[in-house]
Amino acid sequence: MLDTLEEQAFDDIVFIASRTCDTPIALISLLDHNRQWFKARVGLDVGETEIAQSVCQIDIDEADMLVIPDLTCDPRTAKNPLVTGERAFRFYAGAPLVLRSGVVVGRLCVIDTVPRPEGLTPEQLTLLRALGRQVSDQLDLRRAGQISARLLELQSALIEISECIRASEEAVEMTSAAAAVVGRVLQVERASFGLVDPDVEIVDVEADWTAPGVASIAGRHRFADYGALRADLVAGEPLVIEDVATDHRTSANTAAMYALDIGALVNMPVLERGRTVAIFIVNAARPRTWTPDELLFLRSVADRLEAGVARLRAEQQQSILNGEINHRLKNMLAMVQAIASQTLRAVSEREPVESFERRLVALSAAHDVLLQKSWKDADLRTVAEAVVETVGFGERVTLDGPSVPLGARAALSFSLVIHELMTNACKYGSLCMEGGHVELTWIIEGSGPTASLIVRWRERGGPPVVAPSRKGFGSKLIRLGLTGTGGTELRYKPGGFEADLRASVEHLAQA
């Protein structure tokens, strides 16, 4: 709230306080380390004073009403420049501003230029306390609003990172894209991903993201060169340092840290079977307090990156293995073809021989296609949970329905549709607002070959629903339904977007 613009809600409170207590001056004073700043004021022409001149700071930790009938007679204020100077403050009464957390951040005070031996009346004191509580409530509301906005920003960043990971075909491309999003949303100087050796002594930092003018740290580094950093990472715990100059793990190595423009840092470990195998690195140039939400965000980023990198490496290894298998099978088929050609050379009727050879070629070609696929059946709930977990809003999505087997194509189609619905809800629907919720339920109607699966998507608690003016690829994908054959009904109701998806249970299992 410090240094924000004037706001009517706070201006109204100081006006009422001045009139209620019949004083020419009323202030909402917020206390900083070296100054007191006035969020709202009546009868005073300055916006702040030095903290040494603050009457509001007296006994502030007691969180009680402070009343001084004559400031010239109180030893705590008699020499205050606001009392001895031309402003000549004489009477003071201030109600503490106590947040819900119990922290006292300032006072709502009224001031007069003449002493008041009798102070305020009981009714005035009661009203001043009540107005002070109103100020505190306003401050708490602002803080809650800022926290909600920050959480939404972090959740949106996770969605963006998930999209980057999904679209990346190389590990370096993936980590660089994720680091750029983290650097932007956390407003830090550097973000990167590094692989750790088995003894957690060396980290190989891949291409990192840096703010303009900040040097890259890509390359190999020894943890010991920067302080006592290994213990937390060996234990699989996040390494969180808010000030490298005061933290016992880095205070003896500040020169190495400052050489890289590091004043605060987070090394978020990525674990594999309980062992740290990689870290996601965030560096700030100045000391910084890392909030729990930011650390949770970094934990999610690290987990997603490791899963994405592992997927790419597995695909690369599988591609190499498939290539080797394919090469050997081709050699075997070529050998079979050669043997057949030699064996059947004497056969006068060439048509059966040529037909046999063409079938071998077709078998080889089919094998090439099959090696590129690794499909297997999955349960509908498993697929839905995986999609929701990837987007990151699991606590706000309710899943309910019976077990439904999906064939390979149906599982892919279902995951794409649900992912599109989740993405739309995060961007435009119920998940873009605090308190919004999604119900994803499914039922089976009928039995036997005619049984139908009905998937229901219901959004509640979001912004007003407006039907899109144009239909992009995402809308087309949703309307294609669970297996690309339609059976989709979309409703843009005032209370929230709804979608019903219908398909044959038998077809889903076989697709």
Side-chain angles (χ1 to χ4, degrees):
M1 294 296 294
L2 293 175
D3 301 313
T4 55
L5 298 176
E6 295 180 358
E7 298 180 59
Q8 193 64 50
F10 295 103
D11 292 342
D12 289 344
I13 290 176
V14 293
F15 174 77
I16 295 171
S18 174
R19 291 300 182 90
T20 298
C21 299
D22 193 23
T23 59
I25 301 171
L27 309 168
I28 294 176
S29 175
L30 301 179
L31 303 175
D32 200 1
H33 293 291
N34 57 359
R35 61 172 176 155
Q36 65 172 353
W37 179 78
F38 307 131
K39 174 59 184 173
R41 62 186 189 272
V42 168
L44 191 64
D45 57 355
V46 296
E48 63 180 72
T49 70
E50 296 179 3
I51 196 68
Q53 298 179 7
S54 172
V55 179
C56 292
Q57 69 167 328
I58 296 174
D59 296 335
I60 189 65
D61 292 331
E62 295 182 10
D64 199 3
M65 181 73 73
L66 174 65
V67 179
I68 303 178
D70 189 343
L71 294 167
T72 63
C73 298
D74 192 305
R76 299 171 296 180
T77 58
K79 297 181 180 181
N80 190 310
L82 299 176
V83 178
T84 60
E86 61 181 48
R87 288 191 172 84
F89 291 173
R90 292 294 180 268
F91 169 77
Y92 174 95
L97 304 179
V98 186
L99 302 183
R100 293 175 185 172
S101 62
V103 175
V104 185
V105 296
R107 291 187 188 273
L108 168 64
C109 66
V110 292
I111 300 171
D112 205 340
T113 54
V114 297
R116 288 195 182 184
E118 73 285 355
L120 298 178
T121 67
E123 183 178 11
Q124 289 173 328
L125 287 170
T126 299
L127 290 172
L128 189 61
R129 285 193 179 93
L131 290 172
R133 289 193 294 272
Q134 290 297 312
V135 175
S136 299
D137 287 343
Q138 287 286 338
L139 294 174
D140 271 319
L141 286 173
R142 300 303 170 86
R143 183 171 181 270
Q146 290 171 349
I147 291 174
S148 296
R150 183 59 169 165
L151 285 174
L152 179 59
E153 184 181 18
L154 295 176
Q155 289 171 340
S156 298
L158 277 180
I159 295 174
E160 185 177 353
I161 289 171
S162 296
E163 294 291 348
C164 291
I165 291 173
R166 199 170 1 265
S168 298
E169 297 181 357
E170 297 290 340
V172 173
E173 175 190 0
M174 178 187 299
T175 56
S176 297
V181 176
V182 171
R184 185 191 74 234
V185 75
L186 294 186
Q187 297 181 343
V188 294
E189 277 62 43
R190 184 184 293 111
S192 56
F193 183 82
L195 300 177
V196 176
D197 73 313
D199 296 324
V200 194
E201 293 181 348
I202 295 173
V203 57
D204 287 305
V205 179
E206 300 181 353
D208 55 356
W209 174 91
T210 61
V214 178
S216 168
I217 60 170
R220 175 162 291 191
H221 298 267
R222 292 177 65 250
F223 289 114
D225 292 339
Y226 302 93
L229 309 182
R230 292 184 61 252
D232 293 283
L233 299 177
V234 169
E237 298 294 331
L239 175 66
V240 181
I241 295 178
E242 298 184 344
D243 187 345
V244 298
T246 59
D247 194 287
H248 70 278
R249 294 165 292 189
T250 54
S251 58
N253 298 74
T254 54
M257 290 291 188
Y258 291 155
L260 299 178
D261 293 320
I262 301 175
L265 64 91
V266 175
N267 286 353
M268 186 61 67
V270 176
L271 304 180
E272 183 178 285
R273 298 179 180 177
R275 183 176 64 86
T276 298
V277 295
I279 55 175
F280 192 81
I281 304 166
V282 173
N283 296 158
R286 291 174 294 278
R288 169 171 177 161
T289 299
W290 306 99
T291 69
D293 290 330
E294 290 173 340
L295 295 177
L296 182 59
F297 168 72
L298 289 174
R299 172 77 275 163
S300 297
V301 171
D303 289 343
R304 281 165 170 74
L305 272 179
E306 178 57 22
V309 170
R311 173 180 59 80
L312 285 179
R313 288 177 179 155
E315 290 175 354
Q316 292 170 353
Q317 292 173 355
Q318 187 64 48
S319 177
I320 294 173
L321 178 61
N322 287 349
E324 180 64 21
I325 294 175
N326 191 36
H327 175 70
R328 296 192 178 198
L329 183 59
K330 280 187 173 182
N331 287 342
M332 183 178 296
L333 290 173
M335 185 180 298
V336 170
Q337 190 171 9
I339 293 173
S341 178
Q342 290 294 326
T343 304
L344 301 176
R345 178 178 297 178
V347 177
S348 58
E349 188 177 355
R350 302 308 301 169
E351 183 176 351
V353 175
E354 292 173 354
S355 177
F356 175 70
E357 291 176 343
R358 286 196 296 270
R359 286 170 181 170
L360 284 177
V361 173
L363 178 62
S364 177
H367 182 263
D368 289 342
V369 174
L370 289 173
L371 281 176
Q372 298 174 16
K373 308 294 181 181
S374 57
W375 306 108
K376 57 182 179 180
D377 292 344
D379 183 74
L380 185 148
R381 175 182 289 274
T382 302
V383 176
E385 289 175 345
V387 174
V388 172
E389 175 63 24
T390 299
V391 177
F393 285 85
E395 73 283 359
R396 295 169 62 186
V397 179
T398 299
L399 302 176
D400 186 47
S403 177
V404 179
L406 299 178
R409 189 166 67 86
L412 176 60
S413 175
F414 176 73
S415 65
L416 290 175
V417 170
I418 297 303
H419 182 270
E420 190 62 31
L421 290 169
M422 285 288 295
T423 301
N424 289 343
C426 293
K427 291 182 177 179
Y428 315 112
S430 62
L431 297 182
C432 78
M433 295 183 66
E434 190 72 15
H437 191 80
V438 170
E439 292 182 2
L440 175 56
T441 61
W442 56 93
I443 61 172
I444 295 177
E445 285 187 351
S447 60
T450 62
S452 295
L453 172 70
I454 301 176
V455 178
R456 293 169 177 163
W457 176 275
R458 302 289 185 268
E459 296 184 24
R460 298 292 182 263
V465 175
V466 178
S469 57
R470 64 182 185 88
K471 295 180 175 63
F473 176 76
S475 297
K476 294 177 181 178
L477 180 64
I478 294 172
R479 291 181 181 278
L480 284 174
L482 297 179
T483 55
T485 57
T488 302
E489 181 181 354
L490 309 180
R491 296 182 293 277
Y492 298 90
K493 291 189 173 182
F497 173 73
E498 297 182 358
D500 289 341
L501 311 172
R502 180 185 292 268
S504 163
V505 173
E506 186 177 39
H507 181 65
L508 288 171
Q510 297 173 355

